[in-house]
Amino acid sequence: MSIIEQTSFIRKIHPFENLTKKQLEEFAENLDIIYLQKDEILQKQGSKPENLFFIIKGLIQEKYDDEVLSIYSKNEFFDPISLVENYSKHTFVAAQETICYILPRKIFIKTLHENTSLESFFFQSISQKLNANISNEKDKELANLMLAKVKDAQVHRAVIVPYNTTIFNAVTTIKKEKVPTLLLKDDNEEMYIVTDSDFREKVILNRMDFDDVVGKISNKGLKYVNENDFLFNAQLLMAKHGLKRMVVKNDNNEICGIIDQISLSSFFATHTFSVSNEIDKADTIEELKVAMLSFTKIIKSLNAKGVKVDFISKLINQLNRKIMHKLFKKLSPEALIGKSCLVVMGSEGRGEQILKTDQDNALIIADDCEISDEEILEFTNKYTEVLVDFGFPRCEGNIMVSNPYWCRRQKDFKDLIYEWITKPSGDNFMNLAIFYDAVCATGDRELLIQLKEHLFKIGSTSKTFYMHFAKIIMDFNVPLGFFDGFVFSSKDKEHDNEIDIKKGGIFIIVQSIRTLSLEHKLMRSNTLKRIQDLKEIGEFDEEFASEITEAFNFLLTIKLKSNLEKLDSGQTVDNYINPENLNTMEKDLLKDSFKIFNKLKKKLEHHYKLNYV
């Protein structure tokens, strides 16, 4: 290959895009090519490595004795740590005919000392690597959208006129100032907004007098956003409240402009706002279903732009809540409105569900709600069937509102919670865990808050209780071997050479954090927010909290990536990933994440003496 082709090849491999032009040219000038036959050894365990390898074609296995620890393929590199330590811990063998670039160790070490970005990458902490990977994995230019501030978008000038301005003068002002929106201020300093559509739909269609007060057609209840807030947060707020525009304030709490959907859409090329508006405007269940069909497209678009997985889940959960709220209002008997609370549990309750999984929901009914059991049963069965039609599969454990066990009066739920705590069993611990993750999807949120307060009030203070609540994590092993190789289940032939990252990682962290949060009586449901609360009360130090957070986000990220690929290829969406489908960096970070989960698991083992259960 030519020097130009070599520099282009190296530049495309992270983190070597951080090389200076001179360093990149030095790399290219010192590269050589080697050809390897199948089963040929290119670096032995215990040897002093002489080169950094970049694979042009073929496969390389990293082995410890006869155990394969990792596999490296096209456009990947190995083994930088051995070069730094000047000692090869493992043996590297060609699994097939392979062609590699080789870079002399002295050039790599020299460049490492010269380039702080490169040096920090190879010596940074696990949490820093995990966090950095999300930014570098995606298109950087698009990923920078996450850093965009409200003031970076097109913010329209805010023109404020008195509330009693005539309609004629208001329209004249809009034309003169060339703005689509006016803000109004009344004598009590309260703010209102009037738009061009208000003039069309309220003035013209109602044949209003042009000398009438413009305040009559205005809207109050304005939502505000700071100009230095992230643009994505403004998008979340607008999607949550179904707004077309928000008022922008500066750090002095002064109104400085108005941001609308068009401005946001220029930064985020998704259909989020139109979908949110479709949900708001939907008059039929079928229209709600049509709006929901766009969710996957939104997820794919945001994921492709490098938007972090926790922001995607926040947005999708907001849209899901809007769907459930609208659906509840359309299907439920009048007696339940204001006298009940529909809750979602599981990953949906924790705000960690992105692609649709099975239903986990319940209905809390106020004790004074005058409704018959027959009416309740008819509604809950209908609600469950409609969700199934919307793409939410039935829960295999029957944890759904259509199951009377999960649909009852508040006082009956209190009795149920008492039973879960005072009669410990596998099922009762599971039900307690599910309910602890519940959040209000629609209805009277206070009904759920009161039940959680009741749970904390009667909750055990005995370590033994939490010991048994946490011990289930001992049934799940992190799929990482003693020598950092991935461990596959020999019993599961259907998923040969695949890892269940839910059982091997996600569940362990969710249950561990859930147990500690329950012991400390934290009201939060989201795992990441629980981690922050536990850090603030001293359960975790800053570094470990950061490591858990980044590792958890990383597993959710690669799970989403894998599921979207399976969705596109018509495969079943599940929790399995094949490490061979990951690049070298992702494989290393997955191993680092599993190490963090093992560290958390050991903390729980020590904290609750789980080895004695």
Side-chain angles (χ1 to χ4, degrees):
M1 290 188 181
S2 68
I3 294 292
I4 294 176
E5 289 174 318
Q6 290 171 338
T7 55
S8 176
F9 178 87
I10 296 296
R11 189 186 289 114
K12 291 177 181 177
I13 300 175
H14 179 68
F16 297 103
E17 75 277 9
N18 295 315
L19 294 173
T20 65
K21 183 180 178 181
K22 182 180 178 181
Q23 289 166 348
L24 196 59
E25 288 174 353
E26 187 175 18
F27 260 46
E29 289 170 359
N30 285 278
L31 285 179
D32 202 353
I33 291 183
I34 60 169
Y35 300 86
L36 303 163
Q37 298 297 319
K38 183 182 179 185
D39 298 327
E40 185 175 345
I41 296 174
L42 66 158
Q43 186 171 299
K44 287 185 178 181
Q45 178 185 338
S47 65
K48 290 186 177 182
E50 298 176 355
N51 299 293
L52 181 67
F53 298 87
F54 298 88
I55 301 175
I56 302 171
K57 177 185 177 183
L59 286 176
I60 297 292
Q61 290 180 336
E62 180 179 359
K63 289 185 171 184
Y64 183 86
D65 292 336
D66 291 328
E67 181 185 1
V68 177
L69 303 180
S70 292
I71 296 177
Y72 302 92
S73 58
K74 181 180 178 182
N75 296 335
E76 295 184 337
F77 66 92
F78 65 94
D79 169 40
I81 302 304
S82 292
L83 289 179
V84 172
E85 297 177 351
N86 200 23
Y87 177 84
S88 182
K89 295 180 180 178
H90 305 130
T91 297
F92 294 83
V93 183
Q96 57 184 238
E97 289 187 357
T98 302
I99 304 174
C100 292
Y101 278 130
I102 58 172
L103 179 76
R105 177 180 183 269
K106 63 179 182 179
I107 301 296
F108 174 70
I109 297 298
K110 171 177 174 287
T111 309
L112 204 61
H113 291 314
E114 292 175 350
N115 190 304
T116 54
S117 296
L118 208 63
E119 185 180 37
S120 65
F121 175 82
F122 287 109
F123 292 99
Q124 65 193 176
S125 69
I126 291 175
S127 61
Q128 289 171 321
K129 284 185 182 180
L130 287 164
N131 189 41
N133 177 70
I134 295 174
S135 299
N136 288 295
E137 181 190 55
K138 309 291 184 181
D139 182 347
K140 290 181 178 178
E141 182 179 350
L142 292 172
N144 284 335
L145 293 174
M146 287 302 301
L147 303 177
K149 303 291 182 68
V150 169
K151 63 185 179 184
D152 296 328
Q154 182 185 1
V155 177
H156 299 291
R157 281 191 308 116
V159 178
I160 304 174
V161 299
Y163 182 89
N164 292 322
T165 301
T166 66
I167 291 173
F168 179 83
N169 288 337
V171 174
T172 302
T173 301
I174 284 178
K175 183 178 179 180
K176 178 184 176 182
E177 300 291 339
K178 296 181 180 179
V179 292
T181 306
L182 279 182
L183 294 178
L184 313 178
K185 183 188 289 186
D186 65 14
D187 295 337
N188 297 318
E189 298 294 307
E190 187 170 353
M191 300 299 300
Y192 303 79
I193 191 168
V194 61
T195 68
D196 50 1
S197 61
D198 289 324
F199 290 107
R200 291 195 306 270
E201 297 173 11
K202 297 177 182 178
V203 177
I204 297 175
L205 293 180
N206 293 325
R207 299 177 182 273
M208 289 182 67
D209 188 334
F210 290 177
D211 290 326
D212 213 338
V213 174
V214 72
K216 291 182 179 180
I217 65 167
S218 65
N219 304 283
K220 61 179 180 178
L222 276 61
K223 297 293 180 183
Y224 297 88
V225 64
N226 187 281
E227 64 176 351
N228 290 308
D229 199 356
F230 289 115
L231 203 57
F232 195 84
N233 287 337
Q235 185 186 34
L236 282 173
L237 284 171
M238 292 177 79
K240 178 180 180 179
H241 298 289
L243 301 173
K244 292 183 178 180
R245 51 189 63 81
M246 294 177 68
V247 180
V248 181
K249 287 188 174 183
N250 59 25
D251 290 336
N252 296 322
N253 204 35
E254 300 166 338
I255 292 174
C256 57
I258 297 171
I259 188 166
D260 57 24
Q261 290 180 4
I262 297 174
S263 299
L264 281 163
S265 295
S266 66
F267 276 81
F268 299 103
T270 70
H271 299 289
T272 306
F273 298 109
S274 61
V275 171
S276 182
N277 288 334
E278 281 179 40
I279 295 171
D280 290 332
K281 294 175 181 177
D283 291 323
T284 66
I285 290 175
E286 192 58 36
E287 288 174 346
L288 277 176
K289 182 180 177 181
V290 170
M292 198 165 192
L293 293 176
S294 300
F295 283 19
T296 302
K297 185 175 182 179
I298 292 171
I299 294 166
K300 288 180 179 179
S301 178
L302 292 174
N303 181 64
K305 285 175 169 54
V307 177
K308 289 189 175 182
V309 68
D310 53 328
F311 283 97
I312 299 176
S313 62
K314 281 180 186 177
L315 180 59
I316 295 301
N317 273 271
Q318 293 286 2
L319 294 176
N320 278 337
R321 298 285 189 281
K322 290 171 77 74
I323 288 279
M324 291 176 184
H325 170 72
K326 200 76 178 276
L327 197 57
F328 187 86
K329 288 182 68 176
K330 287 189 173 298
L331 294 177
S332 70
E334 186 65 31
L336 285 177
I337 304 298
K339 292 286 186 177
S340 62
C341 177
L342 177 73
V343 302
V344 288
M345 302 176 289
S347 58
E348 177 75 22
R350 295 192 304 275
E352 293 153 14
Q353 182 188 104
I354 299 179
L355 294 175
K356 291 191 285 289
T357 57
D358 57 353
Q359 299 181 42
D360 281 314
N361 47 37
L363 184 65
I364 306 166
I365 303 168
D367 296 335
D368 62 350
C369 179
E370 296 180 358
I371 188 172
S372 68
D373 291 342
E374 291 75 16
E375 283 183 282
I376 293 172
L377 188 61
E378 181 182 354
F379 158 66
T380 54
N381 281 331
K382 178 67 175 174
Y383 189 85
T384 296
E385 292 301 323
V386 171
L387 282 185
V388 170
D389 186 50
F390 274 33
F392 289 98
R394 297 178 191 281
C395 174
E396 291 183 5
N398 203 20
I399 304 168
M400 301 179 289
V401 291
S402 52
N403 179 359
Y405 187 89
W406 292 101
C407 176
R408 54 179 73 203
R409 307 273 175 170
Q410 189 188 45
K411 60 182 176 59
D412 295 326
F413 264 111
K414 287 183 178 179
D415 294 338
L416 199 57
I417 291 169
Y418 181 79
E419 181 180 324
W420 292 340
I421 292 174
T422 58
K423 298 178 181 178
S425 69
D427 286 345
N428 282 346
F429 279 133
M430 180 188 72
N431 291 333
L432 180 61
I434 291 168
F435 184 80
Y436 181 45
D437 290 346
V439 297
C440 173
T442 185
D444 185 358
R445 183 167 172 263
E446 194 61 31
L447 291 171
L448 175 62
I449 292 174
Q450 290 169 3
L451 286 180
K452 287 201 176 183
E453 289 174 344
H454 177 71
L455 164 62
F456 295 150
K457 182 179 179 181
I458 65 171
S460 175
T461 57
S462 167
K463 280 278 186 182
T464 304
F465 175 85
Y466 297 105
M467 176 192 296
H468 287 280
F469 187 72
K471 76 172 183 178
I472 191 173
I473 66 171
M474 301 297 288
D475 296 335
F476 297 88
N477 295 317
V478 175
L480 194 64
F482 185 75
F483 297 107
D484 288 356
F486 293 117
V487 176
F488 304 101
S489 173
S490 58
K491 299 178 182 178
D492 194 348
K493 299 301 180 185
E494 184 183 351
H495 297 286
D496 193 30
N497 295 323
E498 291 185 322
I499 294 172
D500 186 335
I501 59 170
K502 181 176 180 180
K503 289 182 179 179
I506 293 173
F507 177 79
I508 292 172
I509 194 169
V510 166
Q511 179 64 8
S512 298
I513 299 301
R514 179 194 283 138
T515 305
L516 291 168
S517 300
L518 183 61
E519 182 185 0
H520 288 286
K521 297 177 170 50
L522 303 179
M523 191 65 80
R524 301 274 199 185
S525 294
N526 178 265
T527 300
L528 295 179
K529 290 180 179 177
R530 284 173 172 173
I531 291 170
Q532 291 305 306
D533 285 351
L534 289 169
K535 181 194 73 174
E536 288 174 10
I537 61 178
E539 193 65 60
F540 300 135
D541 60 33
E542 184 81 36
E543 183 179 356
F544 192 39
S546 177
E547 286 181 346
I548 303 170
T549 297
E550 297 302 340
F552 185 60
N553 270 331
F554 179 71
L555 254 67
L556 293 181
T557 300
I558 62 171
K559 179 187 174 186
L560 176 61
K561 176 184 175 183
S562 173
N563 283 343
L564 289 176
E565 289 172 353
K566 289 177 180 178
L567 203 62
D568 288 339
S569 60
Q571 299 178 58
T572 302
V573 173
D574 53 31
N575 298 305
Y576 290 92
I577 63 161
N578 187 336
E580 290 193 21
N581 294 334
L582 305 177
N583 61 38
T584 303
M585 185 57 57
E586 289 171 330
K587 282 185 277 193
D588 288 344
L589 292 176
L590 183 57
K591 291 175 183 178
D592 287 340
S593 297
F594 284 150
K595 290 175 186 176
I596 292 170
F597 297 151
N598 262 330
K599 185 177 175 182
L600 177 62
K601 192 176 177 183
K602 288 188 187 326
K603 174 181 172 63
L604 269 287
E605 288 177 29
H606 175 74
H607 186 75
Y608 294 117
K609 307 294 187 291
L610 297 183
N611 291 325
Y612 298 98
V613 180

